[in-house]
Amino acid sequence: MPPEVSVIIPNYDRHGEMERAVDSVLSQEGVELELLVVDDASGSPPLSLYERLEELGHRVLRGRSRRGPGLCRNRAAEVAQGEYLALLDSDDYWLPGKLSRQLASLRSSGLRIGQVEEIWIRKGVRVNPLKVHRMEAGDLFERSLRAVCVSPSSVLLERSLFLELGGFDEELFVCEDYDLW
């Protein structure tokens, strides 16, 4: 049975954070998922973590030269098997039940893409996002022209939509997500 959701995590030398991100994915319940980690030519990749993932049947794709998160995400999306893509930055993590609740909500809405609200933590302390970054329901397009209020780790979208849009602009080493949204 193919996975419902393909989770994509690009990684470049974020080993401590990466372990927490991976564990938050592997602890998700109520959704069939596959995990694709794309190592963007890390100087010292976390080989024991990568070996563990491969033993669990997940995939680790290794880059030979640093190309940025856009290319990493595009590469993983091309080989992903899930109907939906969930993006997770290597220094972020999800709370339990995030994927199953978001998937149910997206399917019931009839939309092809959706986001959830985030909890921001800085130096171990919860902080409130600035008003310009707060999540709101509805169409965020015009609001996002002033300040992007969508982060990759909060998004779930149909893989077919991602591919129709051409994925992330690989020429952009940063802000590729702003460009796509």
Side-chain angles (χ1 to χ4, degrees), residues 62-131:
R62 293 174 176 89
R64 295 185 181 168
S65 62
R66 186 135 197 273
R67 296 292 308 270
L71 181 131
C72 290
R73 291 179 178 128
N74 288 348
R75 185 171 169 215
E78 289 170 3
V79 299
Q81 297 175 5
E83 179 183 356
Y84 294 89
L85 298 178
L87 310 171
L88 182 60
D89 288 341
S90 58
D91 62 341
D92 290 343
Y93 62 95
W94 292 331
L95 295 176
K98 181 262 193 204
L99 272 185
S100 63
R101 288 192 306 273
Q102 189 174 11
L103 181 60
S105 177
L106 193 59
R107 283 182 167 157
S108 69
S109 72
L111 298 174
R112 299 179 72 191
I113 184 172
Q115 70 169 356
V116 295
E117 191 167 2
E118 300 173 297
I119 297 171
W120 289 14
I121 299 176
R122 297 255 160 68
K123 297 180 183 177
V125 177
R126 184 173 177 165
V127 296
N128 293 323
L130 299 173
K131 184 177 180 181

Side-chain angles (χ1 to χ4, degrees), residues 9 11-12 18 52 58 61-62 65 68 70 75 84 87 109 111-112 127 136 145 160 162 178-179:
I9 304 177
N11 180 44
Y12 176 74
M18 182 70 181
R52 183 181 115 201
H58 299 287
L61 309 172
R62 293 174 176 89
S65 62
R75 185 171 169 215
Y84 294 89
L87 310 171
S109 72
L111 298 174
R112 299 179 72 191
V127 296
E136 294 178 5
L145 294 176
S160 61
F162 182 84
Y178 293 7
D179 176 66

